[in-house]
Amino acid sequence: MNALPVAALAAMPPSVHSMLERRGIGLAEVGALVDLAPDDVLLLAGSYATGEANPTSDLDLLVLRANEDLPRPRVAGVSHPSMFGDSFDILVGDLTVNLEYVSGRKYDDLCAVVDSVRVGARGPEVGNFQALELRLAQRVTSGIPLVGAGRLGELRSRLDMATVQASAAALNFVMAMSWLEDTGVLPSPRRELMLRGAGESLVLAAINALGPLTYDIKHLFPRAARLAAVPGAPAVLADAERVVFADHRPVADSVRFLLDHAEDMDRMVRTDRSHARIDAMLRPFRPGWLWSGRSFGGAER
């Protein structure tokens, strides 16, 4: 293990330095937590990297391992082992530092899956990317390099983010339509839960269609509000709060409301305002989405 130079952490944005100073935390305290080996990449990730941090945000650091044979890091914190490696929540004063180590081999696996989705036998397929995979892709591409910027450039060049983002948009759209159909067969309160899930998924689909890559609801409303100003953006972004909380209205009204937004977004992804791969990914599913004459939850169209 090499000691992390304080100068590496000095490259963090001024907002991070101000936050650490307010909390009385020195850069050396943070640097002492990191197990960094030669050729590893260290990134500032998460909300402080994207400029979306709030007073409760963790400080997220991501290490991309170059050497697969290194022993697992020993960190005095809450451990979260995963398929990609290990992450730890470490309390420094009143600040939680999330320190994540990702295996180079697992990153290779992610890139290989993305490539297979992009060149599917019948055209682009809908990648079934789950939260951890999307989280890693988002952190690698949006993180701020602190150590190993050259190698990071090589790693980023191997990950086809257009395919990742198109898959996230298409998968969320498919999920929204599935949950809307469930409202026609499930009793209350489960159908209201399906409405909430459908609304969240529609907004996530729209955000991912235009960017940035988003895998959870933490920054849902601020990102939707920013993207709503993009020319040609689907109406679901400007209407995000009413869409997410559509379950507060009568079921039939809510289903009609969400279907109108879904149809509007489906029209948008067929144009050049979003990535063409989203349209190709959704094409096999469209025969089941008969916008006219279909009944969801008693809402005749």
Side-chain angles (χ1 to χ4, degrees):
M1 171 180 170
N2 292 341
L4 180 64
V6 169
L9 294 178
M12 294 189 294
S15 59
V16 178
H17 291 283
S18 298
M19 178 272 294
L20 293 175
E21 186 176 347
R22 285 196 306 272
R23 297 174 187 241
I25 300 171
L27 293 181
E29 291 179 79
V30 177
L33 306 175
V34 183
D35 179 0
L36 200 67
D39 298 322
D40 284 351
V41 172
L42 175 64
L43 292 168
L44 173 69
S47 299
Y48 280 104
T50 61
E52 298 170 303
N54 61 46
T56 67
S57 295
D58 298 344
L59 183 66
D60 297 296
L61 297 172
L62 170 62
V63 177
L64 300 172
R65 285 294 201 202
N67 185 345
E68 297 290 339
D69 298 324
L70 288 172
R72 293 175 65 175
R74 297 181 179 181
V75 177
V78 178
S79 178
H80 307 285
S82 79
M83 62 179 288
F84 290 112
D86 299 283
S87 67
F88 304 88
D89 286 333
I90 309 151
L91 197 61
V92 181
D94 64 347
L95 172 69
T96 298
V97 177
N98 176 258
L99 182 56
E100 182 177 14
Y101 296 86
V102 169
S103 155
R105 187 176 297 119
K106 293 298 185 183
Y107 182 76
D108 293 343
D109 292 343
L110 176 61
C111 292
V113 172
V114 173
D115 289 342
S116 72
V117 166
R118 177 170 51 85
V119 295
R122 295 182 298 173
E125 298 170 337
V126 181
N128 189 21
F129 298 117
Q130 302 302 300
L132 275 181
E133 296 161 298
L134 294 176
R135 179 176 182 261
L136 176 59
Q138 188 267 348
R139 288 188 166 197
V140 168
T141 53
S142 68
I144 297 173
L146 304 176
V147 174
R151 182 165 179 262
L152 175 64
E154 297 173 8
L155 293 172
R156 284 176 171 172
S157 69
R158 294 173 44 218
L159 183 61
D160 184 352
M161 278 301 292
T163 295
V164 175
Q165 198 156 313
S167 287
L171 186 62
N172 272 292
F173 195 89
V174 171
M175 290 170 62
M177 296 304 294
S178 174
W179 284 334
L180 278 173
E181 192 159 12
D182 286 343
T183 63
V185 296
L186 294 177
S188 182
R190 283 185 286 169
R191 65 184 178 187
E192 284 79 9
L193 182 61
M194 295 301 103
L195 283 170
R196 175 66 64 89
E200 290 176 356
S201 289
L202 278 178
V203 179
L204 281 168
I207 292 172
N208 282 306
L210 299 175
L213 178 65
T214 303
Y215 55 87
D216 64 19
I217 62 173
K218 184 175 182 180
H219 302 295
L220 197 70
F221 292 140
R223 289 182 181 179
R226 287 196 297 271
L227 290 171
V230 174
V236 67
L237 293 170
D239 215 6
E241 289 194 28
R242 289 208 306 153
V243 168
V244 169
F245 299 116
D247 60 311
H248 291 181
R249 304 163 65 181
V251 171
D253 292 346
S254 298
V255 173
R256 278 193 295 268
F257 175 67
L258 294 181
L259 280 173
D260 285 342
H261 275 298
E263 189 170 8
D264 174 67
M265 183 177 163
D266 186 63
R267 283 192 296 266
M268 187 273 288
V269 300
R270 296 171 189 250
T271 72
D272 59 5
R273 293 194 298 273
S274 69
H275 200 289
R277 289 178 195 166
I278 304 173
D279 179 37
M281 289 173 177
L282 292 180
R283 206 167 292 142
F285 297 92
R286 286 197 178 106
W289 300 335
L290 304 179
W291 303 110
S292 299
R294 187 88 180 262
S295 175
F296 289 93
E300 293 294 341
R301 304 267 308 157

